[in-house]
Amino acid sequence: MNHHSKNTIKNNLKIYNSLTKKKDIFYPIYPNHVGMYVCGPTVYNHIHLGNCRTFIFFDIVYRYLKHLGYQVKYVRNITDIGHLFSENNELEEDKIIKRSRIEGLDPMEIVQKYTIYFHESLNILNVLRPNIEPIATGHITEQIEYVKKILCNKFAYEKNGSIYFDLKNYSNHFLYGRLSNNNIKELMDRNFLFSKEKRDIKDFCLWKKAKKNHIMNWNSPWGKGFPGWHIECSVMSTKYLGGYFDIHGGGIDLKFPHHECELAQSTSFFNKKNDLSRYWMHVNMLNINGEKMSKSKKNFMYPSHIYENFKISSNILRFFMLQTHYRSILIFSNKNLLDAKKNYNFIINSINKLNNVKFHKDIISYDFIHQWIDDCYNAINDDFNTPLLISYLLKGSRIINDIIINNKKNSLYLLKKYINYFMFEILGFKKNKEETNNYKKKLEILVQRLINLRKEYRIQKNWEVSDKIRKELNHIGILINDHKLLK
RNA sequence: GGCACGGUGGCCGAAUGGAAUAGGCAAAGGUCUGCAAAACCUUUUAUAGCGGUUCGAUUCCGCUCUGUGCCUCCA
């Protein structure tokens, strides 16, 4: 009665594709190989919780594809150039340059500093590193070559040392707006600073001429300048994954214009209809107080805020994010975070109990356990429905408790095997390791001695002193939960 | 103005053309207990509104109300 053969599971993964606007069965271009590109951060600031959501989600995608036996090439870029910051339609300045001015550091020091923070933040969240992490400024030559080809194909034009994408000519040959369903004519006109140079107000920049005081600039056939925002992703994805790969992802706010422009650039580059990626995936936003958490709205929180202010671990933050489906808006609130904590602890406690129980490998197979395993796989296979999967993991935990408490003979072996797969391998929770820090270890011993001391007082029924010790420990965040005293 | 995704109990959050068995939190009750807490077990409550299609709609279609996001800074 074993329903969950690996191939059946593998052939039933459905992914919501922003390009086709429906759930498509996942099959890669080359059997057993998956190429995945995810738009990474611009490293001019710390990453906040909203950014983390996207990277945690694609970590699940990466982990699950590997679990299914695919060889995955995961590429996630670092943007260290090209994002212009506009204020009141007055000034345009590279975000990294602006930040370097504020902090009094060299632009490349800013890049280095926030790249390190980015990696550290994701490490703490147990997000796996991609296979390739290309950096935009490391691919200037390739970007220039790419722009040259688009120019050569007549889908771009030069004006005063800058290169703009020719949307009008593009529209004559291809459809612009396939991802977002946006019709160029229906888009709102805004006054852009560059608009004087552009043939059409909605043309976007491929290469921008550097002003005299613009520190980050490179030589090009069109003079000193720097690449536009969208070009780096087209170039680096094509370089490392080819002109057509399996999955392209990012936050939903990148769908338009960023991904739409990438699609247009790629089509112009090859001069033929091209999807760039077979599946396009977009993660919805994290909302706080009814609106999107973003750097520009200044309503963001960093992961470190959460660990400190809510006294929760990175595992619980991760769990919190996975309790909402990735295509839904995730609402940040104190209560939701505490719900996540309780649920997470419930599952982990059950797993810990399993580790303390001795059992033999099952001989009999139990149908309901197999059903439970199928349910779990079906959940994750249905467009990565992590909230549904978590509900099954909670159910599994309850089954474990029931078996252990009532001393039932049952299929603990399979339960243990699969709940571990789902929690640690696929959902990517960190297994608690022994603390290696020596100083911390001594503190732990001290606390343990206090607890033992208190136990002696309890045996003597000296409630006054034992309650006082418990209170003191509670003050510093160590919770004591008493059990019945053994005689 | 255009485009996209939503509206399910007190709250969060799944699913579905055929009795709402999701799940969790909260609440209530219980086990346990020196007390407190924790842990574990059990139970209650819901498809925004109006039409249409249908034997049957929460699900599909249309309209209304309403929320969020994108429209060249954004994960």
Side-chain angles (χ1 to χ4, degrees):
Chain A
M1 282 290 274
N2 189 339
H3 309 285
H4 40 273
S5 88
K6 204 121 188 176
N7 267 333
T8 312
I9 296 162
K10 197 170 169 178
N11 294 329
N12 278 296
L13 171 60
K14 277 177 285 179
I15 293 182
Y16 182 86
N17 188 350
S18 302
L19 199 61
T20 60
K21 284 143 188 77
K22 59 184 172 60
K23 285 181 196 169
D24 294 331
I25 294 278
F26 178 75
Y27 59 100
I29 296 161
Y30 302 104
N32 294 320
H33 290 259
V34 178
M36 175 163 90
Y37 188 90
V38 172
C39 291
T42 306
V43 280
Y44 71 103
N45 211 331
H46 289 101
I47 58 161
H48 60 67
L49 290 181
N51 305 126
C52 292
R53 184 187 188 193
T54 300
F55 300 125
I56 287 173
F57 173 69
F58 284 107
D59 188 50
I60 307 285
V61 175
Y62 181 43
R63 286 168 179 273
Y64 187 56
L65 290 172
K66 289 207 293 186
H67 174 81
L68 291 180
Y70 288 111
Q71 194 181 323
V72 187
K73 198 200 255 187
Y74 177 20
V75 182
R76 189 184 62 205
N77 68 299
I78 297 272
T79 298
D80 59 347
I81 182 71
H83 279 208
L84 297 179
F85 186 89
S86 65
E87 245 172 29
N88 312 321
N89 274 333
E90 283 290 316
L91 125 141
E92 91 257 14
E93 189 176 20
D94 188 290
K95 284 179 175 181
I96 288 158
I97 295 175
K98 184 180 180 184
R99 192 73 203 171
S100 75
R101 212 163 31 74
I102 292 167
E103 295 196 23
L105 295 171
D106 190 86
M108 276 301 149
E109 285 183 279
I110 293 294
V111 166
Q112 177 80 354
K113 178 178 169 182
Y114 289 107
T115 301
I116 289 170
Y117 274 129
F118 170 65
H119 287 151
E120 278 177 355
S121 301
L122 293 191
N123 274 346
I124 291 168
L125 283 161
N126 213 29
V127 171
L128 298 173
R129 291 287 284 272
N131 303 90
I132 301 175
E133 196 167 43
I135 297 165
T137 55
H139 297 76
I140 298 293
T141 319
E142 290 91 334
Q143 293 182 72
I144 289 171
E145 290 304 313
Y146 203 96
V147 172
K148 271 161 82 176
K149 182 137 184 234
I150 295 176
L151 263 174
C152 179
N153 289 345
K154 307 262 190 290
F155 292 112
Y157 55 91
E158 188 197 343
K159 194 74 193 259
N160 302 329
S162 293
I163 312 293
Y164 296 102
F165 192 82
D166 190 344
L167 266 180
K168 194 181 171 198
N169 188 39
Y170 182 79
S171 306
N172 290 337
H173 295 82
F174 305 102
L175 181 65
Y176 178 77
R178 293 167 60 212
L179 256 181
S180 61
N181 269 8
N182 274 325
N183 185 328
I184 322 173
K185 287 171 191 150
E186 303 286 358
L187 293 174
M188 261 212 268
D189 278 348
R190 290 189 183 173
N191 297 320
F192 303 117
L193 194 75
F194 304 152
S195 61
K196 291 167 209 158
E197 290 185 352
K198 293 177 182 174
R199 288 183 192 165
D200 186 295
I201 199 164
K202 293 183 195 79
D203 289 348
F204 56 92
C205 186
L206 299 179
W207 182 266
K208 181 71 185 159
K209 182 197 171 94
K211 288 179 180 170
K212 278 174 197 161
N213 58 355
H214 197 105
I215 318 166
M216 298 176 87
N217 67 77
W218 289 265
N219 286 318
S220 81
W222 318 286
K224 281 188 186 294
F226 55 91
W229 172 31
H230 314 298
I231 201 76
E232 60 171 276
C233 288
S234 289
V235 169
M236 295 192 291
S237 61
T238 298
K239 174 165 180 177
Y240 296 108
L241 297 170
Y244 185 51
F245 50 91
D246 298 296
I247 297 173
H248 191 137
I252 202 168
D253 52 352
L254 294 184
K255 195 196 269 187
F256 190 91
H258 184 57
H259 287 161
E260 205 72 82
C261 292
E262 274 185 55
L263 198 50
Q265 285 168 168
S266 177
T267 306
S268 315
F269 181 81
F270 292 106
N271 204 358
K272 63 169 189 192
K273 186 172 182 259
N274 175 17
D275 292 345
L276 184 58
S277 168
R278 181 173 268 176
Y279 303 89
W280 290 75
M281 301 179 76
H282 293 100
V283 181
N284 216 321
M285 297 292 103
L286 173 66
N287 275 21
I288 182 165
N289 299 325
E291 63 176 11
K292 171 185 173 182
M293 181 178 287
S294 75
K295 290 176 185 172
S296 52
K297 283 183 177 155
K298 299 201 166 57
N299 60 356
F300 52 84
M301 292 172 98
Y302 300 131
S304 55
H305 286 152
I306 302 298
Y307 307 144
E308 285 158 23
N309 297 339
F310 295 93
K311 302 272 183 278
I312 61 158
S313 67
S314 58
N315 271 349
I316 290 164
L317 180 57
R318 192 180 174 99
F319 191 92
F320 160 73
M321 303 249 182
L322 298 177
Q323 270 187 314
T324 301
H325 190 260
Y326 78 94
R327 284 190 290 120
S328 298
I329 291 165
L330 171 61
I331 299 167
F332 179 86
S333 76
N334 195 339
K335 188 181 176 297
N336 292 355
L337 213 51
L338 294 176
D339 283 3
K341 185 176 182 175
K342 291 195 176 180
N343 289 337
Y344 173 80
N345 286 338
F346 182 76
I347 296 173
I348 290 300
N349 287 341
S350 301
I351 292 175
N352 288 340
K353 280 180 206 162
L354 268 184
N355 293 333
N356 296 328
V357 169
K358 280 183 189 143
F359 53 84
H360 300 290
K361 189 168 175 172
D362 305 305
I363 300 159
I364 318 158
S365 82
Y366 294 86
D367 278 355
F368 83 99
I369 300 288
H370 287 291
Q371 184 59 51
W372 174 80
I373 295 167
D374 283 349
D375 288 343
C376 290
Y377 274 110
N378 288 338
I380 189 98
N381 262 347
D382 186 9
D383 194 27
F384 302 93
N385 195 333
T386 53
L388 190 58
L389 173 59
I390 284 173
S391 84
Y392 287 121
L393 296 181
L394 288 162
K395 193 175 172 182
S397 304
R398 223 166 301 111
I399 295 171
I400 292 167
N401 289 337
D402 184 49
I403 291 170
I404 292 174
I405 289 170
N406 298 318
N407 208 12
K408 289 180 184 169
K409 278 197 169 181
N410 224 312
S411 195
L412 280 174
Y413 171 77
L414 274 180
L415 263 173
K416 183 177 180 178
K417 181 177 165 186
Y418 280 94
I419 208 164
N420 272 284
Y421 272 162
F422 281 106
M423 281 299 281
F424 303 109
E425 192 175 308
I426 296 169
L427 295 183
F429 293 105
K430 225 186 307 188
K431 279 187 178 169
N432 287 329
K433 288 178 200 147
E434 283 297 313
E435 189 62 63
T436 48
N437 188 308
N438 214 353
Y439 179 69
K440 279 190 177 173
K441 212 159 201 172
K442 283 180 183 166
L443 280 181
E444 269 175 27
I445 291 167
L446 182 66
V447 168
Q448 198 52 52
R449 289 205 168 181
L450 253 178
I451 292 170
N452 290 341
L453 188 68
R454 178 172 172 272
K455 196 172 171 187
E456 284 174 30
Y457 282 117
R458 287 186 71 220
I459 290 165
Q460 295 163 16
K461 294 188 192 286
N462 189 340
W463 310 122
E464 201 181 325
V465 176
S466 69
D467 284 0
K468 193 170 181 182
I469 293 171
R470 180 169 65 189
K471 205 174 165 188
E472 288 296 324
L473 287 171
N474 281 356
H475 273 312
I476 58 168
I478 295 165
L479 301 177
I480 306 287
N481 300 315
D482 287 330
H483 298 285
K484 187 177 180 177
L485 279 169
L486 294 173
K487 283 171 190 171

